[in-house]
Amino acid sequence: MTQRQARGEQSSVRIIAGQWKGRRLKLVAAGIRPTPDRIRETLFNWLAPVIEGRRGVDLFAGTGALGIEALSRGAAQMVFVERHRAVARRLREVLQELACTAGQVFNTDAGRFLQREPKAFDLVFLDPPFDGPSLENLCTLLGSRGWLAPEAYVYLETGHRQGLPSLPDSWELLRQQSAGEVAYALARWKG
């Protein structure tokens, strides 16, 4: 974490494409590691044929870059789950600035959020802190608790050193890559 991030200063994230293409969003840094533009561009190229009209959740929202990019490109709804109060508040402000009513922010921990009554999502972004919850456990929980719609797409991001997890049998790994310190993949739940 940089000193700037530790003080809660703002950083910015650029929306790559869609209705808000080129917009720079000022977001609270708060020790958050946003998904780099290059990786987001690759991910959304993968998702381009299927993103329109999808309902999604960004379980470790941070800057909100993944979920906002999805909304910009035509996702119907996005739920942002962020445990840091200041970051969640800023995400709400950004959605208001964009006049976006299709985004909803929950200021809670992803684990607590997943204990709620499940609603099936078509698209899930799993980008926890590299030293955070296990992606393998999160995938199992999402599938077993009813959080995934049939044929749901799940984006996984982790540190390159940790590597991507083994996925449960009911999952299909569609694509995977690495860039710098990040390993990332797109999977589909076949449950």
Side-chain angles (χ1 to χ4, degrees), residues 30-59:
I32 293 169
R33 173 194 44 81
T35 300
D37 284 5
R38 184 174 88 182
I39 293 174
R40 275 189 293 123
E41 188 166 5
T42 299
L43 166 64
F44 285 98
N45 285 341
W46 293 345
L47 289 172
V50 298
I51 199 163
E52 186 76 32
R54 297 281 179 156
R55 291 182 62 250
V57 62
D58 189 346
L59 278 175

Side-chain angles (χ1 to χ4, degrees), residues 66-170:
L66 293 173
I68 293 171
E69 188 77 41
L71 289 168
S72 182
R73 292 173 183 241
Q77 178 189 20
M78 187 59 58
V79 171
F80 299 86
V81 179
E82 175 50 50
R83 67 185 176 123
H84 293 99
R85 183 175 294 128
V87 178
R89 181 174 48 246
R90 183 60 191 143
L91 273 171
R92 286 186 188 101
E93 291 168 1
V94 166
L95 292 171
Q96 287 177 343
E97 290 167 13
L98 295 171
C100 176
T101 58
Q104 184 177 13
V105 179
F106 288 85
N107 181 206
T108 188
D109 177 83
R112 284 190 195 112
F113 180 82
L114 292 175
Q115 296 309 312
R116 306 175 131 204
E117 187 67 30
K119 293 181 182 178
F121 290 102
D122 306 301
L123 182 60
V124 178
F125 297 114
L126 289 179
D127 177 15
F130 290 168
D131 61 351
S134 154
L135 285 174
E136 190 170 351
N137 291 344
L138 286 166
C139 290
T140 300
L141 181 63
L142 287 165
S144 67
R145 291 254 310 131
W147 286 102
L148 300 174
E151 303 293 315
Y153 290 86
V154 180
Y155 171 70
L156 308 162
E157 184 177 314
T158 189
H160 183 69
R161 289 186 182 142
Q162 290 97 329
L164 293 165
S166 298
L167 294 172
D169 291 339
S170 55

Side-chain angles (χ1 to χ4, degrees), residues 12-17 20-25 37 40-41 65 69:
S12 68
V13 173
R14 180 180 61 90
I15 301 303
I16 298 168
W20 302 309
K21 179 181 180 176
R23 290 277 301 258
R24 282 212 165 274
L25 307 176
D37 284 5
R40 275 189 293 123
E41 188 166 5
E69 188 77 41

